[in-house]
Each structure stands twice: as C-alpha cells, then as structure tokens.
Amino acid sequence: MRILLVEDDHMLANTMLAMLRDEQHTVDWLDDGQQALNALSGEHFDLAILDLTLPRLDGLEVLERVRKQGMRTPIIILTARSDLDDKLRGLDAGADDYLTKPFAMAELKARIRAVTRRGTTLDASGLSVGGITLNPDSGQLTLGEQTINLPRSELQILHYLMRHPDQVATRRRLEEQLYGWDHGAESNALEVHIHHLRRRLGKTVIRTIRGVGYLLDSQQAATCGAPSCP
C-alpha cells in the first residue's frame, strides 16, 4: 500500500518508516500538519497514520478538514494523548482507529491490517476478483491451484488494481503506489511490471487504456483458473 506517515518525532518516524517499508509498503513521511493536509487533499493514499501534536496545524484539525472534503482514506491516529475525551474526539471526527504512545510495532501492524480490510472483498485467503486471489500480507498470487510469490512492485500494482476492478488507474496513480515521492524509477518501469503481470495472468486481464493508464477487467479475471488465465 501507499501510506502517509505524519509524525514530528523524527526518531520514532525513522523506526516506523523502516518497519513499514520492511512490510513492502510505499511510505511518504511528513512532520508538519499543514503539509499533511495539502498531501491528503491532493494525492491518493491507501492509509494515513496521523500524529495529533504537529507544527502549524493540529492533527485533529487535519482529520476534520479532510473528512469534510469527503476523503474516505483510512486514518489511524497515533498520539501520546491518552485521555478518553481526546480519543472520542478523534473517533467522532472520522478516525478509523486510535493508538496511544508508547505502542508495540506488532500492534500497529495489526491495526493497519484491520482498518485497510474494511470494505474490501477480503476473506481468509485474500483479496479476490474472479479467478484471481491475492494475499497482500504474504504477497502470494493464487490462480486455481497455482500459487506464485510476487515481487514487491508487481504486488503493489496488482493489489491496487484488484481493489479497484473495472476502474481506470492512471499511470501517475500507479507510479505513486510504487514509489511515492521517490522519482528515481526509470520511465518504462511501470510498463515492464505490467508486462510481467500479463505473463502471469493472461494478456486480456489487465487492459491498457491508451493515453490514460490501466484497468483490471473483472470479466476476463473470471476466466482465470489453473494453471493460469487463458
């Protein structure tokens, strides 16, 4: 997933960045509330982890404003404020979860899994579209009786497309999923990853929308089975 981490404690932020990237997530980090509001208002993230005590704009104000804009991205509040009133204010303002410091990284991982699975077609085996099943936690792609361990980049792309079947994903959106604000990728890297996915899934499952981006065709995905899609 692409995650926005908003935390002004740089030591804690660096620890969290390492943990989240080890989990194969693309993570962008900010330490300022106004910058966080701008990023959440203008870009797509699968999840935001938001501290409350931030420079320039309090995290609760950031949360309230983006929810008023209609943004539904899952948001986990991460804060040293442990009073019940603060927790209730955060949840009432639209937070999906509330975790107080200090915390165990294992608990944060569990909270992330819980909030990002809400509202998706995800059972015990993974996310499913037609005959394709993807387990985001293990990175395993299942087609009928065949199981494939996907590289990180292919996992990120397929995970996004499967969460938005039959919807066009722009090149920019997919590149943000892969690299966030790191623009070090080669210009044709996305096409290479799509090519590899088509070799696994079949040529017709991921359609090119010329001049725009790509789309996962759920009708074509329904034909997928062992050992691979036709």
Side-chain angles (χ1 to χ4, degrees):
M1 295 184 298
R2 187 185 183 201
I3 297 175
L4 178 64
L5 172 62
V6 188
E7 171 59 64
D8 66 339
D9 181 332
H10 288 207
M11 184 176 296
L12 175 60
N14 284 324
T15 300
M16 295 174 66
L17 283 169
M19 181 274 290
L20 292 168
R21 288 169 178 165
D22 282 346
E23 293 286 304
Q24 306 302 309
H25 300 300
T26 299
V27 189
D28 292 313
W29 170 41
L30 294 171
D31 61 1
D32 176 280
Q34 184 61 55
Q35 292 178 348
L37 176 61
N38 296 341
L40 288 168
S41 299
E43 299 190 42
H44 171 83
F45 296 92
D46 297 298
L47 172 74
I49 301 172
L50 180 65
D51 190 15
L52 290 187
T53 305
L54 295 167
R56 292 210 293 169
L57 194 63
D58 185 80
L60 188 61
E61 181 70 17
V62 174
L63 174 63
E64 290 173 342
R65 291 194 191 183
V66 296
R67 290 303 190 226
K68 286 179 180 178
Q69 293 172 8
M71 193 209 67
R72 300 177 62 185
T73 300
I75 296 178
I76 298 176
I77 287 177
L78 187 65
T79 182
R81 301 179 193 174
S82 57
D83 291 346
L84 178 59
D85 286 346
D86 286 324
K87 183 174 183 179
L88 293 177
R89 285 184 65 199
L91 295 173
D92 287 342
D96 296 86
D97 207 342
Y98 193 109
L99 188 60
T100 55
K101 305 173 184 177
F103 60 92
M105 289 296 175
E107 182 178 6
L108 177 59
K109 291 179 186 179
R111 302 288 186 102
I112 289 172
R113 289 194 297 270
V115 300
T116 55
R117 284 172 175 168
R118 295 171 191 168
T120 63
T121 309
L122 187 64
D123 57 25
S125 60
L127 180 68
S128 296
V129 177
I132 304 170
T133 298
L134 180 67
N135 189 316
D137 296 332
S138 67
Q140 289 188 330
L141 167 67
T142 302
L143 302 169
E145 297 179 357
Q146 183 185 30
T147 299
I148 303 165
N149 291 314
L150 289 180
R152 175 189 176 277
S153 296
E154 293 178 37
L155 171 63
Q156 293 274 40
I157 294 169
L158 186 58
H159 186 209
Y160 183 85
L161 292 174
M162 289 181 67
R163 290 181 65 189
H164 306 87
D166 302 313
Q167 299 178 36
V168 179
T170 64
R171 285 183 52 89
R172 178 182 175 184
R173 179 63 56 82
L174 291 176
E175 287 172 346
E176 287 174 348
Q177 291 293 120
L178 288 173
Y179 310 114
W181 294 325
D182 179 4
H183 300 293
E186 297 179 5
S187 60
N188 67 338
L190 180 60
E191 285 83 355
V192 172
H193 299 316
I194 293 290
H195 172 72
H196 290 160
L197 282 170
R198 283 174 171 155
R199 291 180 62 184
R200 303 181 192 281
L201 301 172
K203 295 180 180 179
T204 61
V205 174
I206 299 177
R207 293 168 45 198
T208 299
I209 309 301
R210 194 168 300 279
V212 182
Y214 300 93
L215 175 150
L216 181 76
D217 190 321
S218 62
Q219 291 187 341
Q220 293 296 323
T223 68
C224 287
S228 64
C229 298

